[in-house]
Amino acid sequence: MSGTAPAVDYQAILDQIWLEVAPRLGEGKVASYIPQLATVPVAQFGMAVYRLDGQMFSIGAAQTRFSAQSVTKLFALALAYTRVGDSIWQRLGKEPSGTAFNSLVQLELERGIPRNPFINAGALVITDILASCFVGSEIALLQFIRQLCGSTAPDFDLKVAESELKTAHRNFAIAHLIKDFGNLHNTVSAVVRSYCRQCSITLSCEELARAAAFLANHGSMPACVPGGTQILDASSAKRISAVMLTCGTYDAAGEFAYRVGLPAKSGVGGGIVAVIPGEAAVAVWSPGLDASHNSALGTYALARLTDLTRHSIF
């Protein structure tokens, strides 16, 4: 067949998704194990699509900032990759865990080598790598995210960081276990404190979609971004996207790939960022979580997006 497929009308598709989602606002449960997140009103939804030509399409609360939580693990991994490359995989794996994101059992059985960089154990190792590369690793990560989204607005939510640190008993236990196996080089206290601050970074859907666009563009900032630069080589960007697909949505990665069909990273703040290779980055936020700790409406919206656009990797 000859000819070029017509461009997708993303705004019309997002408007259709909004009509479907609006009557369902309030579905899911907010993350209650972090006290500050438990106060977030559940009936909220935003979504943004950032095309590589610079066009932004959005609906709902797409400019409202939220606690990115585990979504920041994606950018921490990318920043670590810019510093140490494939040597990351000497200290952690790239396989789905099949267990809870904060499990200790698997970590002990596998002698302090986390299954992947997106469970808490793996994220703590990535934080440790960054702490060896930077003075104030969480500040370096925040600056990296600001660079990617082209805005100085993303920042730490210190109330969330404090709330998270006060309830970080399991993360301290995970870090101590990794340290006992010799896979943590900095102090447990420094790593966990930095990690809690990292997770408190706030982003809007529009900012998050812009920040992830370099992965959709094979490692380079979109050409439409003034002074756009190569963040990662294409091979490294491909590898990060692969780990997103297999490990990015907690222990529901298989179900998410089945329903949505895009590399994605979720967080318990209700955010999900996904990549349409060569086309766009997508961010969605709704704080009500499903049983797997992924945004209930966010997952639905992304599934509808790929159904309606026929843009998935499958």
Side-chain angles (χ1 to χ4, degrees):
M1 181 180 291
S2 61
T4 303
V8 173
D9 187 344
Y10 280 109
Q11 192 59 56
I13 288 172
L14 290 182
D15 290 343
Q16 173 62 36
I17 291 172
W18 177 245
L19 290 175
E20 296 177 23
V21 165
R24 300 175 55 180
L25 288 176
E27 284 189 11
K29 297 181 179 180
V30 296
S32 59
Y33 68 95
I34 300 172
Q36 193 65 25
L37 292 186
T39 67
V40 176
V42 68
Q44 301 184 80
F45 177 88
M47 189 171 187
V49 175
Y50 181 65
R51 270 195 356 194
L52 296 181
D53 63 3
Q55 293 189 73
M56 178 72 76
F57 309 91
S58 62
I59 50 172
Q63 295 182 346
T64 299
R65 291 191 183 86
F66 57 91
S67 183
Q69 291 295 312
S70 285
V71 175
T72 62
K73 295 174 183 177
L74 171 61
F75 302 107
L77 174 61
L79 181 58
Y81 235 101
T82 68
R83 292 294 169 143
V84 301
D86 278 342
S87 66
I88 283 174
W89 308 120
Q90 296 172 9
R91 297 181 57 186
L92 45 79
K94 38 189 166 320
E95 297 292 337
S97 67
T99 59
F101 64 90
N102 58 358
S103 172
L104 286 90
V105 176
Q106 193 172 62
L107 186 63
E108 171 137 26
L109 291 174
E110 298 179 352
R111 303 189 62 77
I113 304 295
R115 271 290 175 96
N116 66 68
F118 294 149
I119 56 175
N120 284 18
L124 289 166
V125 170
I126 292 294
T127 299
D128 184 57
I129 291 171
L130 293 178
S132 296
C133 296
F134 301 99
V135 176
S137 60
E138 73 278 12
I139 296 173
L141 178 60
L142 176 63
Q143 291 173 338
F144 181 58
I145 291 171
R146 287 174 169 177
Q147 173 195 352
L148 292 175
C149 71
S151 172
T152 60
D155 209 343
F156 303 113
D157 184 327
L158 297 182
K159 289 184 177 179
V160 170
E162 182 181 2
S163 178
E164 196 153 358
L165 186 61
K166 285 181 178 179
T167 56
H169 311 299
R170 186 170 288 263
N171 282 332
F172 273 108
I174 290 170
H176 277 293
L177 188 56
I178 299 171
K179 184 79 169 178
D180 188 60
F181 281 110
N183 197 21
L184 205 73
H185 300 163
N186 295 276
T187 67
V188 166
S189 176
V191 170
V192 174
R193 287 177 181 275
S194 179
Y195 175 69
C196 289
R197 282 174 62 87
Q198 166 192 317
C199 288
S200 79
I201 291 173
T202 59
L203 287 159
S204 69
C205 290
E206 291 188 357
E207 290 162 347
L208 181 54
R210 282 195 182 94
F214 78 100
L215 288 171
N217 199 38
H218 312 295
S220 296
M221 299 282 277
C224 61
V225 177
T229 58
Q230 184 171 335
I231 305 299
L232 295 171
D233 62 80
S235 179
S236 298
K238 177 191 73 174
R239 289 169 179 162
I240 289 178
S241 293
V243 178
M244 289 170 70
L245 180 71
T246 58
C247 308
T249 47
Y250 303 121
D251 56 343
E255 175 71 15
F256 191 92
Y258 177 81
R259 292 180 60 189
V260 177
L262 295 175
K265 182 71 197 86
S266 62
V268 297
I272 308 175
V273 65
V275 171
I276 306 174
E279 170 71 12
V282 186
V284 62
W285 170 64
S286 186
L289 308 180
D290 61 21
S292 297
H293 299 96
N294 297 311
S295 172
L297 291 182
T299 301
Y300 172 82
L302 287 169
R304 291 295 291 142
L305 180 74
T306 54
D307 286 344
L308 293 168
T309 63
R310 299 185 179 181
H311 279 176
S312 80
I313 64 171
F314 302 112

